[in-house]
Amino acid sequence: MKIFLDTASLKDIREAAKLGVVDGITTNPSLLAKESGDPEEILVEICKTIDGPISAEVVATDAEGMVKEGRHLASLHPNIVVKTPCIPEGLKAAKILSGEGTRINMTLIFSATQALLSAKAGARYVSPFVGRLDDISTPGMELVADIIQIFDHYDFDCEVLAASLRHPMHVLEAARMGADIGTMPVAVFNALLKHPLTDSGLKKFLEDWEKAKAQMAAKAGR
Ligand code: E4P
Protein backbone atom coordinates (compact mmCIF):
# COMPACT_ATOMS: atom_id res chain seq x y z
CA MET A 1 0.00 0.00 0.00
CA LYS A 2 1.30 3.43 -0.87
CA ILE A 3 1.55 5.84 2.04
CA PHE A 4 0.42 9.43 1.55
CA LEU A 5 0.51 12.16 4.18
CA ASP A 6 -2.61 14.24 4.61
CA THR A 7 -1.07 17.60 5.40
CA ALA A 8 0.17 20.86 3.89
CA SER A 9 2.82 21.38 6.57
CA LEU A 10 6.17 21.61 4.78
CA LYS A 11 8.01 21.16 8.07
CA ASP A 12 6.21 17.87 8.77
CA ILE A 13 6.53 16.71 5.16
CA ARG A 14 10.29 17.41 5.05
CA GLU A 15 10.82 15.55 8.32
CA ALA A 16 8.70 12.53 7.30
CA ALA A 17 10.27 12.42 3.81
CA LYS A 18 13.63 11.57 5.40
CA LEU A 19 12.30 8.09 6.26
CA GLY A 20 11.99 7.34 2.55
CA VAL A 21 8.56 5.70 2.68
CA VAL A 22 6.22 8.58 1.85
CA ASP A 23 4.78 8.13 -1.65
CA GLY A 24 2.59 11.21 -1.98
CA ILE A 25 0.66 14.00 -0.28
CA THR A 26 -2.99 14.97 -0.09
CA THR A 27 -3.94 18.52 0.76
CA ASN A 28 -7.32 20.16 0.97
CA PRO A 29 -8.45 23.79 1.45
CA SER A 30 -8.76 23.32 5.24
CA LEU A 31 -5.21 21.95 5.50
CA LEU A 32 -3.72 24.71 3.31
CA ALA A 33 -5.64 27.36 5.29
CA LYS A 34 -3.76 26.27 8.43
CA GLU A 35 -0.38 27.13 6.88
CA SER A 36 1.08 30.60 6.55
CA GLY A 37 2.33 31.58 3.11
CA ASP A 38 1.05 31.50 -0.44
CA PRO A 39 -0.87 28.22 -1.01
CA GLU A 40 0.48 27.80 -4.55
CA GLU A 41 4.06 28.30 -3.41
CA ILE A 42 3.48 25.77 -0.64
CA LEU A 43 2.13 23.28 -3.18
CA VAL A 44 5.16 23.73 -5.44
CA GLU A 45 7.53 23.27 -2.49
CA ILE A 46 5.67 20.09 -1.50
CA CYS A 47 6.08 18.83 -5.08
CA LYS A 48 9.81 19.51 -4.90
CA THR A 49 10.04 17.62 -1.60
CA ILE A 50 8.05 14.51 -2.50
CA ASP A 51 8.37 13.10 -5.98
CA GLY A 52 4.91 11.57 -6.14
CA PRO A 53 1.28 12.54 -6.57
CA ILE A 54 0.44 15.76 -4.69
CA SER A 55 -3.28 16.46 -4.49
CA ALA A 56 -4.45 20.06 -4.74
CA GLU A 57 -8.16 20.78 -4.49
CA VAL A 58 -10.28 23.15 -6.56
CA VAL A 59 -12.63 25.48 -4.68
CA ALA A 60 -14.99 26.36 -7.54
CA THR A 61 -18.31 24.54 -7.38
CA ASP A 62 -19.28 24.77 -11.07
CA ALA A 63 -17.70 22.57 -13.73
CA GLU A 64 -16.38 25.47 -15.78
CA GLY A 65 -14.72 27.05 -12.75
CA MET A 66 -13.30 23.69 -11.64
CA VAL A 67 -11.82 23.05 -15.07
CA LYS A 68 -10.21 26.50 -15.12
CA GLU A 69 -8.79 26.07 -11.62
CA GLY A 70 -7.77 22.49 -12.31
CA ARG A 71 -5.82 23.50 -15.41
CA HIS A 72 -4.05 26.19 -13.43
CA LEU A 73 -3.21 23.86 -10.52
CA ALA A 74 -1.95 21.19 -12.93
CA SER A 75 0.32 23.78 -14.58
CA LEU A 76 2.09 24.48 -11.27
CA HIS A 77 4.08 21.21 -11.29
CA PRO A 78 3.90 17.82 -13.06
CA ASN A 79 3.33 16.09 -9.68
CA ILE A 80 0.03 17.88 -9.08
CA VAL A 81 -3.14 15.79 -9.02
CA VAL A 82 -6.32 17.84 -9.14
CA LYS A 83 -8.88 17.09 -6.47
CA THR A 84 -12.51 17.61 -7.42
CA PRO A 85 -15.49 17.12 -5.11
CA CYS A 86 -17.85 14.24 -5.84
CA ILE A 87 -20.84 16.30 -6.96
CA PRO A 88 -22.38 16.38 -10.47
CA GLU A 89 -20.28 19.43 -11.45
CA GLY A 90 -17.19 17.65 -10.12
CA LEU A 91 -17.91 14.65 -12.32
CA LYS A 92 -18.29 16.88 -15.40
CA ALA A 93 -15.01 18.63 -14.59
CA ALA A 94 -13.25 15.30 -13.96
CA LYS A 95 -14.34 14.02 -17.36
CA ILE A 96 -12.93 17.09 -19.12
CA LEU A 97 -9.70 17.36 -17.12
CA SER A 98 -8.92 13.64 -17.23
CA GLY A 99 -9.54 13.75 -21.00
CA GLU A 100 -6.77 16.35 -21.19
CA GLY A 101 -4.40 14.09 -19.29
CA THR A 102 -4.74 15.69 -15.84
CA ARG A 103 -4.88 13.19 -13.00
CA ILE A 104 -8.01 13.58 -10.87
CA ASN A 105 -8.50 12.62 -7.25
CA MET A 106 -12.25 12.52 -6.62
CA THR A 107 -12.69 13.63 -3.05
CA LEU A 108 -15.47 13.59 -0.45
CA ILE A 109 -16.60 10.10 -1.43
CA PHE A 110 -19.10 8.60 1.00
CA SER A 111 -20.74 5.87 -1.09
CA ALA A 112 -19.55 3.10 -3.41
CA THR A 113 -21.82 4.35 -6.19
CA GLN A 114 -20.07 7.73 -6.05
CA ALA A 115 -16.76 5.88 -6.47
CA LEU A 116 -18.12 3.89 -9.42
CA LEU A 117 -19.27 7.02 -11.26
CA SER A 118 -15.99 8.79 -10.46
CA ALA A 119 -13.97 5.96 -12.01
CA LYS A 120 -16.22 6.06 -15.08
CA ALA A 121 -15.61 9.83 -15.34
CA GLY A 122 -11.88 9.10 -15.58
CA ALA A 123 -10.74 9.80 -12.01
CA ARG A 124 -7.26 8.38 -11.36
CA TYR A 125 -7.97 8.14 -7.61
CA VAL A 126 -11.12 7.91 -5.50
CA SER A 127 -10.98 9.06 -1.89
CA PRO A 128 -13.49 7.40 0.45
CA PHE A 129 -13.51 9.32 3.76
CA VAL A 130 -13.34 6.62 6.43
CA GLY A 131 -13.10 8.70 9.62
CA ARG A 132 -15.93 11.06 8.70
CA LEU A 133 -18.26 8.08 8.18
CA ASP A 134 -17.17 6.58 11.51
CA ASP A 135 -18.00 9.99 13.04
CA ILE A 136 -21.66 9.49 12.08
CA SER A 137 -21.82 5.86 13.28
CA THR A 138 -21.38 4.38 9.80
CA PRO A 139 -18.52 1.89 9.33
CA GLY A 140 -16.13 3.76 7.04
CA MET A 141 -13.90 0.77 6.34
CA GLU A 142 -16.85 -1.11 4.84
CA LEU A 143 -17.03 1.57 2.16
CA VAL A 144 -13.38 0.97 1.28
CA ALA A 145 -14.04 -2.79 1.08
CA ASP A 146 -17.07 -2.24 -1.19
CA ILE A 147 -15.13 -0.01 -3.58
CA ILE A 148 -12.23 -2.48 -3.77
CA GLN A 149 -14.68 -5.31 -4.50
CA ILE A 150 -16.39 -3.33 -7.27
CA PHE A 151 -13.11 -2.18 -8.86
CA ASP A 152 -11.84 -5.79 -8.81
CA HIS A 153 -14.51 -6.66 -11.41
CA TYR A 154 -13.49 -4.02 -13.92
CA ASP A 155 -10.53 -2.47 -15.66
CA PHE A 156 -10.72 1.06 -14.31
CA ASP A 157 -7.41 2.89 -14.23
CA CYS A 158 -8.40 4.18 -10.81
CA GLU A 159 -6.76 3.63 -7.43
CA VAL A 160 -8.57 3.38 -4.12
CA LEU A 161 -7.16 6.03 -1.81
CA ALA A 162 -8.41 5.38 1.71
CA ALA A 163 -8.71 8.87 3.23
CA SER A 164 -9.71 10.45 6.51
CA LEU A 165 -7.74 7.73 8.31
CA ARG A 166 -7.61 8.74 11.93
CA HIS A 167 -5.53 6.06 13.70
CA PRO A 168 -3.15 3.17 12.96
CA MET A 169 -5.97 0.58 12.98
CA HIS A 170 -7.56 2.36 10.03
CA VAL A 171 -4.24 2.08 8.19
CA LEU A 172 -3.87 -1.59 9.11
CA GLU A 173 -7.38 -2.43 7.94
CA ALA A 174 -6.95 -0.50 4.69
CA ALA A 175 -3.74 -2.46 4.01
CA ARG A 176 -5.42 -5.78 4.87
CA MET A 177 -8.19 -5.00 2.40
CA GLY A 178 -5.72 -4.14 -0.32
CA ALA A 179 -6.43 -0.41 -0.65
CA ASP A 180 -3.93 1.02 -3.15
CA ILE A 181 -3.14 4.03 -0.97
CA GLY A 182 -3.76 5.26 2.56
CA THR A 183 -3.52 8.95 3.38
CA MET A 184 -3.10 9.97 6.99
CA PRO A 185 -2.06 12.82 9.29
CA VAL A 186 1.60 12.89 10.31
CA ALA A 187 0.74 11.84 13.89
CA VAL A 188 -0.85 8.62 12.57
CA PHE A 189 2.12 8.02 10.26
CA ASN A 190 4.55 8.39 13.16
CA ALA A 191 2.48 6.02 15.29
CA LEU A 192 2.81 3.27 12.63
CA LEU A 193 6.47 2.78 13.45
CA LYS A 194 6.38 3.18 17.21
CA HIS A 195 6.54 0.07 19.40
CA PRO A 196 7.61 0.00 23.07
CA LEU A 197 9.14 -3.49 22.66
CA THR A 198 11.36 -2.20 19.86
CA ASP A 199 12.56 0.64 22.10
CA SER A 200 13.12 -1.54 25.18
CA GLY A 201 14.68 -4.31 23.04
CA LEU A 202 17.16 -1.88 21.48
CA LYS A 203 17.98 -0.39 24.89
CA LYS A 204 18.78 -3.90 26.24
CA PHE A 205 20.92 -4.84 23.19
CA LEU A 206 22.98 -1.68 23.60
CA GLU A 207 23.35 -2.12 27.38
CA ASP A 208 24.51 -5.75 26.93
CA TRP A 209 26.95 -4.68 24.25
CA GLU A 210 28.43 -1.96 26.47
CA LYS A 211 28.76 -4.46 29.36
CA ALA A 212 30.52 -6.99 27.11
CA LYS A 213 32.90 -4.31 25.82
CA ALA A 214 33.72 -3.23 29.38
CA GLN A 215 34.41 -6.87 30.35
CA MET A 216 36.67 -7.39 27.34
CA ALA A 217 38.54 -4.17 28.13
CA ALA A 218 38.97 -5.28 31.76
CA LYS A 219 40.32 -8.70 30.66
CA ALA A 220 42.72 -7.09 28.20
CA GLY A 221 43.97 -4.75 30.91
CA ARG A 222 44.76 -7.61 33.34
C1 E4P B 1 -8.20 13.44 2.04
O1 E4P B 1 -7.79 13.70 0.96
C2 E4P B 1 -8.68 14.44 3.01
O2 E4P B 1 -7.84 15.57 2.93
C3 E4P B 1 -8.61 13.96 4.42
O3 E4P B 1 -8.22 12.61 4.51
C4 E4P B 1 -9.74 14.35 5.29
O4 E4P B 1 -9.51 13.85 6.58
P1 E4P B 1 -10.34 14.35 7.84
O5 E4P B 1 -11.71 13.77 7.75
O6 E4P B 1 -9.58 13.82 9.01
O7 E4P B 1 -10.35 15.86 7.79
Side-chain angles (χ1 to χ4, degrees):
M1 185 171 78
K2 281 171 264 185
I3 301 283
F4 286 11
L5 296 182
D6 194 34
T7 181
S9 161
L10 268 169
K11 182 175 165 281
D12 287 349
I13 292 169
R14 286 187 179 128
E15 196 53 39
K18 291 179 192 160
L19 298 189
V21 293
V22 175
D23 301 297
I25 302 290
T26 49
T27 69
N28 63 40
S30 308
L31 292 170
L32 276 164
K34 280 194 219 162
E35 304 303 315
S36 56
D38 176 61
E40 291 188 3
E41 282 172 21
I42 294 174
L43 285 167
V44 171
E45 276 312 304
I46 295 175
C47 288
K48 287 182 189 164
T49 308
I50 300 283
D51 191 16
I54 311 299
S55 286
E57 189 163 340
V58 298
V59 289
T61 51
D62 63 301
E64 199 186 329
M66 287 186 207
V67 168
K68 202 169 153 215
E69 257 185 74
R71 284 180 185 145
H72 176 67
L73 288 169
S75 75
L76 295 176
H77 194 281
N79 288 355
I80 293 281
V81 169
V82 174
K83 246 184 176 181
T84 51
C86 195
I87 56 176
E89 293 298 297
L91 229 61
K92 288 183 208 167
K95 183 80 185 172
I96 295 168
L97 288 167
S98 62
E100 295 172 357
T102 296
R103 288 173 298 170
I104 297 294
N105 174 359
M106 194 65 84
T107 191
L108 290 167
I109 290 203
F110 293 97
S111 78
T113 49
Q114 286 181 316
L116 176 63
L117 294 188
S118 302
K120 286 182 67 70
R124 182 75 183 76
Y125 309 93
V126 286
S127 289
F129 275 36
V130 174
R132 292 193 194 188
L133 280 171
D134 287 358
D135 289 345
I136 55 158
S137 310
T138 303
M141 287 316 304
E142 286 182 13
L143 171 59
V144 177
D146 281 350
I147 298 171
I148 291 172
Q149 191 187 358
I150 292 168
F151 283 13
D152 272 353
H153 297 309
Y154 306 103
D155 258 348
F156 297 127
D157 188 14
C158 184
E159 295 185 59
V160 180
L161 195 170
S164 185
L165 303 180
R166 302 270 176 78
H167 47 72
M169 283 309 290
H170 274 156
V171 181
L172 179 61
E173 284 177 52
R176 275 192 185 135
M177 286 175 183
D180 299 293
I181 305 158
T183 190
M184 66 207 74
V186 170
V188 174
F189 172 72
N190 289 337
L192 298 181
L193 194 59
K194 198 95 195 102
H195 201 291
L197 289 180
T198 306
D199 296 339
S200 59
L202 178 61
K203 187 166 173 277
K204 178 86 168 65
F205 284 154
L206 297 179
E207 283 167 0
D208 290 347
W209 187 245
E210 284 308 315
K211 264 187 236 158
K213 269 200 329 193
Q215 277 167 5
M216 279 188 278
K219 263 188 210 160
R222 252 187 244 146

